[in-house]
Amino acid sequence: MRLQRQFNGQTITLDTRTPLGSGGEGRIYRVLEDPNLVAKIYHKPTDEDADKLTVMYNYPPATAMVSPGMTAIAWPIDLLHTTDHKRQILGYLMPRVSKATPIHIFYTPKSRRQQKPLFNYLYLHRTARNLVASFADLHSSGYVIGDVNESNILVSDTALVTLVDTDSFQVRDPDTGLIYRCPVGKAEFTPPELQGQAFRDLNRTPEQDRFGLAVLIFLLLMEGTHPFSGVYQGSGDPPAIESRVRAGHFVYGTRQVPYQPMPFAPPFQLLYPKLQQLFIQCFEAGFNNPQARPDAKTWLMVLKEAEANLITCSQQLEHRYGNHLNDCPWCDRTEKLGGRDPFPSRQAVTQQQHLQPLKRKRKRVLNNKPAPVQRPLFSPINRSSVPSPTAKKSLVLPQVPTLHLQNLFGSLFAGIVLGGLWGTSVLSAIIALIFAFVDGKQGIFGGLIVGAMWGSFLGVVISVYLPPPGGINRGIALILGGWSGIFIAAVIAGLIFGVMEQEPLIGKTLMWGAVMGMVWGAIWHLFKPPLSLPNIGRLWGRRGAFVGGVWGSYLGTLGGMGLGILAVGWQQFEAIQPNLNSTSSFSEITLRIIATTIVAAGVGTIGGTLAGGVFGMIGGAPSLPLSLHLSGRRGAFIGAIWGNFLGAISGAGLGVLGATTFANVLDTSSTTGTTSLLIGSIIVSAGIGSIWGMISGLIWGAFGKL
């Protein structure tokens, strides 16, 4: 079959002789020209399908490829239409997902033992984390999955997760507000409020996705046990799973329900305590209030903490369990299952011992009563055995960098280079602005105007010609382009006028900017925001002290800057009251504001860091406002907070170094004591560093450099 791509015009050939898959809506075919792509062709394509796919193409989620040949969300990358004059949309192209298996193979004990025997409990946690990250990405992009189920999720041997069947998602067109609904769903993953409803007539919400997400996490960490499955204690036939979900009968919760846990299910206490709380919150508090269900970001933080608290069994290295437990639960479970190890050792897998049938012991029968028939634990699954995974590493979204030696020096070098360029550029721009506003250099004003015009023009051009996934709003592009043009023009003008004036102070200023920028850039690249630190609610103890110090530094800097500006303004107001003609020049007021603001910011950031650390340790501190994708406004906010903290710490350190090593340069008077010089140097340097770090972190964070 020959079809044409909608957006790049390329003609491709599909191998229709051997479909890769088939379903109720269409079939999946290989693309002969590109083995990394596949095409889904609908049985009965409609105009609504074409419109929905166009919206999905124009507004994809932020998730990119997580590794070569592996994507987190198999999103449409182009539409396919016929090559005749009708140009009818028949389907779409998407990345081909290779070496991945449906998620139920991993959480079902029997199929995992047969196909993925070395996929241990740590990998199951990692799978849950990556699954949650994909949900969070979709929800933050305005999409709702709707049909959450185990068949649409593929997992690799290294716990990477891919969501497929994305064209069934609920899609909202941000330009028109039109919603393309998800018409299907599976009862086991459908929340109580939607049980028995006609999905085609409903607009889904992220809160309803959260129910299905919690069920999937429960299945992963509880050996394939559904949270609403149990032994019925009432009379009559046991209710179906959808009836149990509709009634809110969570078997492992705090409420009394007519069910007992399945006899061979793992104990609920096996889970990390905070995970237990989240499941109870989702299935009990969320029963009457869907908004109470934990969102993907909350799950991600707790899963990350739970994985970090896994320890290795001293008897069997493949057994991982939470450090809140006294004994290895998998050793106990192996004994309970008659010797069937849920996570067999590498030696047992190598010798194929994990596939051997269990040896049943003959029991002595008394009174000639027949021995009870032992039913199989799990229904047999006809799956072929494949080689087990051997890779230990897996990729997690988002990543927390590991400081190996090579990465350490690479980050350090990148931070020094980028920070030095940034510091020199900022100081050069400040020099140009001083020349323009204080000395009245008309040429600089002209250069700034030209830079604003060119920057605005280029910003609009970029927003017009880039496709919507990478582009931005034209109004925002106009403003950002204009300010970027002004900054670049100011940097160039500062360097040119510095050379023309041949003033040594300008050269020293640029050198100081480069040094300060290199120090701050190196620290910024080495110490990323603590993504694993935040928790649900408030933090106490050492963590509370640390986060409280970060918040205190930021708020203290803002407070100090505000009070400094108000102090100068009030002083100027008092000065003009007795004599209306007694006014200071603009340059004098500006310099006074800068000096006062720096000192006030230094005092505020030092006092705020100390006070925040103390109060955070005792009274608790709120977690940092982290997000899965730190860029734009969210990245700017956390960048300003984190950059301010790093800038204050590095600035105070430079102040100590300067006061102790270069005291004769900083102060030549004989009346100033060493202690006073040290305190003054620390305050001023911390003030400069905190303001510098806050502004720089805001800009770097906005561009995703966290």
Side-chain angles (χ1 to χ4, degrees):
M1 178 186 292
R2 301 272 295 173
L3 296 175
Q4 190 173 14
R5 295 180 60 166
Q6 174 79 5
F7 296 105
N8 73 354
Q10 179 188 4
T11 301
I12 62 174
T13 306
L14 305 184
D15 181 10
T16 56
R17 296 172 300 176
T18 55
L20 298 176
S22 180
E25 294 182 340
R27 290 188 175 91
I28 308 295
Y29 299 106
R30 290 191 301 117
V31 178
L32 297 181
E33 289 82 1
D34 192 341
N36 296 319
L37 298 177
V38 293
K40 180 174 182 178
I41 305 301
Y42 294 114
H43 297 312
K44 297 179 180 180
T46 64
D47 292 339
E48 182 178 345
D49 293 330
D51 294 339
K52 181 179 182 179
L53 291 172
T54 302
V55 175
M56 295 177 70
Y57 172 81
N58 286 331
Y59 299 97
T63 298
M65 300 291 286
V66 295
S67 71
M70 193 70 189
T71 182
I73 305 174
W75 202 255
I77 60 175
D78 209 338
L79 279 65
L80 297 175
H81 62 73
T82 57
T83 55
D84 57 17
H85 67 281
K86 294 182 180 180
R87 300 171 62 90
Q88 182 187 10
I89 299 295
L90 299 182
Y92 64 94
L93 278 178
M94 59 182 168
R96 182 173 185 176
V97 182
S98 58
K99 299 180 180 179
T101 311
I103 193 172
H104 63 81
I105 298 297
F106 295 90
Y107 66 64
T108 304
K110 184 173 183 178
S111 58
R112 185 181 67 238
R113 185 179 72 250
Q114 293 175 343
Q115 301 187 41
K116 310 291 180 182
L118 294 179
F119 205 90
N120 60 31
Y121 203 53
L122 172 65
Y123 274 30
L124 292 173
H125 275 76
R126 191 69 55 87
T127 302
R129 287 175 56 185
N130 286 331
L131 175 65
V132 165
S134 295
F135 270 68
D137 184 23
L138 286 167
H139 289 168
S140 65
S141 301
Y143 294 100
V144 178
I145 296 176
D147 184 21
V148 178
N149 69 76
E150 79 287 0
S151 301
N152 297 337
I153 303 169
L154 303 180
V155 181
S156 73
D157 289 348
T158 52
L160 294 175
V161 172
T162 301
L163 303 184
V164 297
D165 197 21
T166 57
D167 58 318
S168 69
F169 292 175
Q170 177 177 286
V171 175
R172 180 184 180 276
D173 189 341
D175 297 325
T176 64
L178 183 64
I179 295 178
Y180 301 91
R181 292 169 175 159
C182 172
V184 292
K186 197 168 183 179
E188 294 93 322
F189 303 91
T190 301
E193 65 271 18
L194 295 185
Q195 290 289 341
Q197 301 291 323
F199 298 136
R200 190 174 294 276
D201 302 328
L202 296 174
N203 292 334
R204 311 283 189 96
T205 65
E207 290 79 12
Q208 293 160 355
D209 273 359
R210 295 175 188 172
F211 180 90
L213 174 62
V215 173
L216 284 168
I217 298 173
F218 198 93
L219 289 168
L220 281 168
L221 304 183
M222 288 286 287
E223 290 288 83
T225 304
H226 194 281
F228 290 83
S229 66
V231 180
Y232 184 51
Q233 302 296 301
S235 59
D237 295 332
I241 192 70
E242 49 265 38
S243 300
R244 306 181 187 195
V245 172
R246 189 186 299 116
H249 288 163
F250 176 46
V251 179
Y252 301 89
T254 59
R255 301 172 183 173
Q256 186 174 2
V257 296
Y259 300 93
Q260 290 293 329
M262 300 295 287
F264 289 99
F268 190 54
Q269 293 72 24
L270 167 75
L271 300 173
Y272 189 63
K274 291 181 181 179
L275 285 174
Q276 299 178 35
Q277 297 172 12
L278 289 188
F279 284 122
I280 294 174
Q281 179 182 339
C282 180
F283 298 131
E284 288 193 347
F287 175 67
N288 294 317
N289 180 21
Q291 286 74 24
R293 294 168 186 154
D295 59 8
K297 177 183 175 182
T298 303
W299 281 111
L300 184 64
M301 296 298 180
V302 176
L303 283 167
K304 197 170 190 177
E305 184 176 337
E307 182 181 324
N309 284 278
L310 291 177
I311 58 177
T312 304
C313 175
S314 59
Q315 303 297 323
Q316 219 275 54
L317 298 182
E318 293 300 319
H319 288 182
R320 307 291 180 88
Y321 61 95
N323 59 9
H324 66 287
L325 301 173
N326 295 326
D327 300 313
C328 175
W330 306 118
C331 291
D332 296 338
R333 185 167 176 79
T334 301
E335 182 177 354
K336 184 177 182 180
L337 296 178
R340 179 73 76 193
D341 196 335
F343 301 107
S345 65
R346 292 182 178 272
Q347 181 180 0
V349 172
T350 302
Q351 299 175 359
Q352 299 291 304
Q353 295 176 358
H354 66 294
L355 298 176
Q356 298 296 325
L358 293 177
K359 295 181 179 179
R360 303 187 183 278
K361 295 182 179 180
R362 289 182 172 271
K363 292 186 178 181
R364 190 173 180 180
V365 181
L366 300 178
N367 301 328
N368 295 326
K369 291 184 179 180
V373 179
Q374 190 170 7
R375 297 180 179 180
L377 283 178
F378 309 106
S379 58
I381 300 177
N382 187 17
R383 302 281 184 180
S384 59
S385 179
V386 297
S388 61
T390 57
K392 293 183 179 180
K393 294 185 178 180
S394 58
L395 200 61
V396 179
L397 300 175
Q399 299 182 48
V400 179
T402 54
L403 292 181
H404 300 298
L405 192 59
Q406 183 178 0
N407 294 336
L408 176 65
F409 286 108
S411 298
L412 186 63
F413 179 75
I416 290 174
V417 172
L418 293 177
L421 293 174
W422 173 252
T424 306
S425 301
V426 171
L427 265 296
S428 178
I430 293 175
I431 291 172
L433 295 177
I434 292 175
F435 274 124
F437 289 98
V438 178
D439 294 345
K441 299 290 185 180
Q442 300 298 324
I444 296 181
F445 277 113
L448 297 180
I449 294 174
V450 172
M453 294 173 60
W454 273 106
S456 301
F457 172 75
L458 292 176
V460 173
V461 169
I462 292 173
S463 68
V464 170
Y465 286 97
L466 277 183
I472 57 177
N473 180 272
R474 292 187 187 180
I476 298 177
L478 178 69
I479 297 173
L480 291 179
W483 280 107
S484 299
I486 292 174
F487 177 75
I488 295 174
V491 172
I492 297 173
L495 294 174
I496 292 176
F497 274 83
V499 174
M500 292 176 58
E501 293 290 329
Q502 296 183 353
E503 173 63 43
L505 182 60
I506 296 177
K508 293 180 180 180
T509 303
L510 294 177
M511 290 180 61
W512 171 248
V515 171
M516 190 164 62
M518 286 189 291
V519 172
W520 187 85
I523 294 177
W524 174 271
H525 277 73
L526 287 178
F527 299 96
K528 301 294 183 180
L531 295 178
S532 61
L533 186 62
N535 204 345
I536 302 175
R538 302 175 69 84
L539 298 166
W540 283 269
R542 290 179 297 175
R543 293 185 172 185
F546 178 76
V547 177
V550 175
W551 276 112
S553 174
Y554 178 68
L555 298 177
T557 301
L558 291 179
M561 292 172 60
L563 291 176
I565 295 173
L566 288 176
V568 175
W570 179 258
Q571 185 181 20
Q572 186 66 19
F573 176 76
E574 290 287 331
I576 63 176
Q577 288 301 311
N579 185 3
L580 295 177
N581 296 324
S582 175
T583 57
S584 301
S585 65
F586 175 77
S587 59
E588 291 176 348
I589 297 176
T590 302
L591 293 176
R592 195 181 306 160
I593 289 176
I594 293 175
T596 307
T597 302
I598 289 174
V599 174
V603 174
T605 190
I606 294 174
T609 302
L610 297 176
V614 173
F615 284 113
M617 179 183 295
I618 301 174
S623 60
L624 296 179
L626 297 175
S627 174
L628 296 178
H629 301 290
L630 295 175
S631 61
R633 288 178 295 177
R634 293 174 293 182
F637 185 43
I638 187 61
I641 297 174
W642 187 243
N644 165 263
F645 178 70
L646 296 182
I649 297 299
S650 58
L654 288 175
V656 173
L657 180 64
T660 55
T661 308
F662 306 105
N664 58 336
V665 177
L666 294 174
D667 184 50
T668 56
S669 64
S670 58
T671 58
T672 303
T674 303
T675 303
S676 300
L677 177 62
L678 177 62
I679 295 175
S681 178
I682 293 175
I683 291 175
V684 172
S685 297
I688 295 174
S690 62
I691 298 174
W692 175 284
M694 183 167 58
I695 297 175
S696 300
L698 185 146
I699 296 174
W700 287 29
F703 287 95
K705 299 299 182 181
L706 285 166

